[in-house]
């Protein structure tokens, strides 16, 4: 199975900050990488698909980049509603689809 | 707007079978571009894909659960279902159903149910 490792596991930041979350795959997954946001008690929501494509309706302050094994999710200017847990997920070597362990973004 | 809704018992006894159904509304489960999947999340932990099904009945399971999982589809009811046998406390989790958008470059879980907590306890 492909292992997905996110860093950091948790992060404290302030409104207006630029934040980057990293996801590393245990082997190359081309650009078959998606990013999700999950708020407490809610289902995850897809933000970015195929590494760098913004899902419809997602604010443009979210962006993704990378290919192969290393990927990043960037939030250009944090808003209060962005404090949540973020997951990466690979769709290249399936089954299984695998998720990263999550990055919890908290208010500083 | 597509909606998914999980239903089933919230409490299952150890060694018994967990059964959940996902009802899809606002769209057809027979869409050729999509698969339908189950994902679970133990309390305070991350996401684990359980398995997926195509409207034709073709399935794919997580190897770690494959021996205990069965996913089926009922296109006449626009539903798909999960059965997980021989459950233990480790299977306690929020169970989500979701649509997998297979039309793009990287299949993503783009619509989700609200999730249902299933607790395994005697």
């Amino acid at each position: 199975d492909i292992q997905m490792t996110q860093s950091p596991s948790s992060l404290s930041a302030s409104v207006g900050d630029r934040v980057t979350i990293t996801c590393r795959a245990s082997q190359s997954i081309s650009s078959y990488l998606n990013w999700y946001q999950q708020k407490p008690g809610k289902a995850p929501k897809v933000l970015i698909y195929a590494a760098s494509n913004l899902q419809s309706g997602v604010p443009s302050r979210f962006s993704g980049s990378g290919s192969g094994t290393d990927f990043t999710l960037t939030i250009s200017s944090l808003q209060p509603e962005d404090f949540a847990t973020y997951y990466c997920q690979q769709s290249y070597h399936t089954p299984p689809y695998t998720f990263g362990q999550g990055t919890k973004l908290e208010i500083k | 707007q597509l909606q998914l809704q999980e239903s089933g018992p919230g409490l299952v006894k150890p060694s018994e079978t967990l059964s959940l159904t996902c009802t899809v509304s606002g769209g057809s489960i027979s869409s050729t571009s999509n698969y339908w999947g189950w994902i679970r999340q133990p309390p305070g932990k991350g996401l684990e894909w359980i398995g997926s099904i195509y409207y034709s009945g073709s399935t794919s399971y997580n190897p770690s659960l494959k021996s205990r999982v069965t996913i089926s589809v009922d296109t006449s009811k626009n539903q798909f279902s999960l059965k997980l046998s021989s459950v233990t406390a480790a299977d306690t989790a929020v169970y989500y159903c979701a649509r997998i958008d297979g039309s793009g470059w990287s299949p993503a879980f783009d619509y989700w149910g609200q999730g249902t907590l299933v607790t395994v306890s005697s």
Side-chain angles (χ1 to χ4, degrees):
Chain A
D1 296 359
I2 302 287
Q3 305 302 317
M4 307 301 293
T5 303
Q6 291 181 230
S7 60
S9 295
S10 63
L11 175 60
S12 294
S14 302
V15 173
D17 283 354
R18 179 183 180 89
V19 167
T20 297
I21 298 169
T22 297
C23 178
R24 175 165 288 175
S26 60
Q27 58 185 279
S28 178
I29 58 170
S30 184
S31 297
Y32 287 67
L33 190 283
N34 308 312
W35 288 98
Y36 299 82
Q37 176 193 67
Q38 186 179 33
K39 296 182 179 179
K42 300 293 187 182
K45 168 189 170 184
V46 62
L47 302 174
I48 302 284
Y49 64 94
S52 60
N53 296 274
L54 198 64
Q55 180 75 354
S56 177
V58 174
S60 60
R61 63 181 179 272
F62 291 93
S63 63
S65 64
S67 66
T69 60
D70 295 314
F71 302 86
T72 58
L73 172 70
T74 299
I75 309 172
S76 60
S77 179
L78 271 175
Q79 298 302 301
E81 60 268 29
D82 300 336
F83 292 94
T85 300
Y86 293 84
Y87 294 93
C88 60
Q89 172 252 318
Q90 68 85 20
S91 296
Y92 190 60
H93 293 286
T94 63
Y97 296 97
T98 46
F99 293 86
Q101 81 280 15
T103 295
K104 187 174 184 179
L105 179 54
E106 299 174 305
I107 301 173
K108 184 182 287 184
Chain B
Q1 177 75 348
L2 190 75
Q3 292 186 317
L4 292 83
Q5 178 69 56
E6 305 90 352
S7 59
L11 181 64
V12 181
K13 289 182 168 56
S15 79
E16 295 190 345
T17 297
L18 177 160
S19 296
L20 296 173
T21 295
C22 182
T23 300
V24 179
S25 58
S28 173
I29 203 168
S30 299
S31 166
T32 57
S33 299
N34 305 124
Y35 291 74
W36 306 90
W38 290 96
I39 302 99
R40 69 180 183 178
Q41 185 171 38
K45 296 188 178 180
L47 300 162
E48 180 181 35
W49 172 75
I50 300 170
S52 303
I53 192 164
Y54 194 53
Y55 78 96
S56 63
S58 174
T59 55
S60 179
Y61 299 136
N62 192 322
S64 68
L65 298 168
K66 187 173 185 176
S67 64
R68 299 194 290 131
V69 173
T70 302
I71 297 176
S72 59
V73 64
D74 185 337
T75 55
S76 67
K77 294 182 179 179
N78 231 30
Q79 294 176 335
F80 62 106
S81 298
L82 168 70
K83 291 188 185 298
L84 180 66
S85 64
S86 304
V87 297
T88 69
D91 295 309
T92 294
V94 175
Y95 285 76
Y96 294 101
C97 60
R99 187 182 84 165
I100 303 167
D101 179 8
S103 64
W105 176 252
S106 177
F109 301 92
D110 62 345
Y111 285 90
W112 296 65
Q114 64 186 25
T116 187
L117 175 63
V118 179
T119 301
V120 178
S121 175
S122 56

